[in-house]
Amino acid sequence: MKNLDGKVILVTGAARGLGEAICRELSAAGAQIILADVRADLANQVADDLRSQGGKADVLTLDVMDEKQIRAAMEKIHQDYGRLDGLINSAGIDKTVSIDELEVDDWDCIMSVNLRAPFLLSKYALPIMREQGSGHIINICSTASKRAWPNASAYHASKWGLLGFSHALLTEARPHNIKVTALIPGGMRTPFLLDRFPDLDPNVLQDPKNVAETICFLMLMPEETVIPELLVLPIRETSWP
Ligand code: NAD
């Protein structure tokens, strides 16, 4: 049974990695997926594949650093679909350097994609969700939202910030029957880690599909229940005690 039939869900960072896995799971459950990414080439390949399997998938070329693009995207979604049931903020970036080496521009970019974008996307999604009296925003945090390690200061700041923002957003969204969840994945086998750390043992990481299945579970929870925060770790997680 396709339980997400008729649901319209926007996924950022949809072109690869966790975002792609989320699109695949939610599409298999029947949702209309809007794949948002700067990498339109990759996003189109994923969307073509979803459609070839009978899914409903559209690509939205979107740089989440650009407020104007986000506002225009939300207006288009309102116009074209008339609703937005889910917003999954998965786009994320990092740069592995010390604070001494971290350029101010790098700090700004990381904060913009990882923290400012979920704020902007939520801000412009909320009116649509309030109008329909329902919705679910899922912010992809990280174990970096809970702990700290060297050479990731901007990433940590953005992800701790996103966890805080997610809880704050829930306090304002709840009265309108809108759910907000901070999903905290541990290490996953995606290009985000595998491209940057070729020596990393993939066996200590988890398949992003497992996290995507958890998101599908969250979207299918009974209407009266919300899970504000959820950790999903590989059993051999190295960055968690
Ligand atoms: P990834 O690098 O494989 O994919 C990230 C996607 O985001 C890419 O498709 C990229 O094009 C897109 N993106 C980057 N900047 C963008 C922008 N300005 N506008 C629109 N799209 C943009 O990364 P991933 O592993 O799939 O990570 C997804 C999320 O999960 C991120 O928020 C990341 O911080 C988080 N996370 C990842 C891991 C992990 O181990 N991979 C662990 C915990 C949390």
Side-chain angles (χ1 to χ4, degrees):
M1 174 162 162
K2 294 189 166 186
N3 301 304
L4 291 176
D5 269 341
K7 302 287 185 195
V8 176
I9 303 177
L10 170 65
V11 182
T12 72
R16 68 177 205 184
L18 176 61
E20 175 185 351
I22 293 168
C23 293
R24 291 186 181 283
E25 286 305 313
L26 297 178
S27 177
Q32 158 74 60
I33 310 296
I34 306 166
L35 297 95
D37 208 289
V38 268
R39 297 284 310 270
D41 51 337
L42 290 182
N44 272 306
Q45 284 173 25
V46 178
D48 285 347
D49 198 35
L50 294 181
R51 283 191 293 264
S52 75
Q53 293 168 42
K56 298 182 211 75
D58 296 319
V59 170
L60 187 66
T61 308
L62 178 68
D63 181 350
V64 298
M65 291 172 67
D66 186 333
E67 184 194 356
K68 276 200 194 104
Q69 284 187 34
I70 290 177
R71 222 172 33 210
M74 285 301 171
E75 278 164 18
K76 187 166 165 41
I77 287 168
H78 195 223
Q79 225 168 48
D80 291 358
Y81 307 93
R83 59 185 303 108
L84 183 61
D85 300 285
L87 162 64
I88 322 282
N89 287 308
S90 187
I93 56 171
D94 185 16
K95 187 159 186 186
T96 310
V97 289
S98 69
I99 290 171
D100 284 338
E101 295 160 317
L102 186 67
E103 301 291 341
V104 174
D105 280 352
D106 294 330
W107 172 277
D108 288 344
C109 281
I110 293 166
M111 295 301 280
S112 179
V113 173
N114 296 4
L115 182 55
R116 183 175 177 266
F119 152 66
L120 289 172
L121 282 145
S122 304
K123 179 178 173 62
Y124 294 118
L126 276 176
I128 306 176
M129 292 179 171
R130 271 200 300 264
E131 187 180 287
Q132 73 204 14
S134 65
H136 197 159
I137 298 173
I138 299 180
N139 294 310
I140 305 301
C141 298
S142 165
T143 45
S145 304
K146 296 266 188 180
R147 302 194 70 204
W149 49 85
N151 302 323
S153 56
Y155 188 68
H156 281 298
S158 68
K159 291 293 183 179
W160 281 68
L162 183 57
L163 179 58
F165 171 68
S166 200
H167 282 280
L169 180 62
L170 177 59
T171 66
E172 297 187 26
R174 261 175 100 166
H176 304 280
N177 197 39
I178 298 164
K179 301 181 186 185
V180 182
T181 305
L183 192 284
I184 304 174
M188 293 176 285
R189 288 188 289 274
T190 69
F192 181 81
L193 285 186
L194 298 176
D195 286 0
R196 287 184 304 139
F197 306 105
D199 294 337
L200 198 59
D201 177 3
N203 295 315
V204 304
L205 305 174
Q206 61 190 339
D207 190 332
K209 186 179 195 305
N210 306 348
V211 178
E213 281 172 359
T214 310
I215 284 165
C216 204
F217 161 79
L218 286 169
M219 299 288 311
L220 288 166
M221 287 290 290
E223 218 189 295
E224 63 184 5
T225 297
V226 61
I227 298 182
E229 184 178 325
L230 190 60
L231 263 162
V232 185
L233 304 180
I235 194 86
R236 294 174 68 194
E237 173 71 68
T238 53
S239 69
W240 198 257

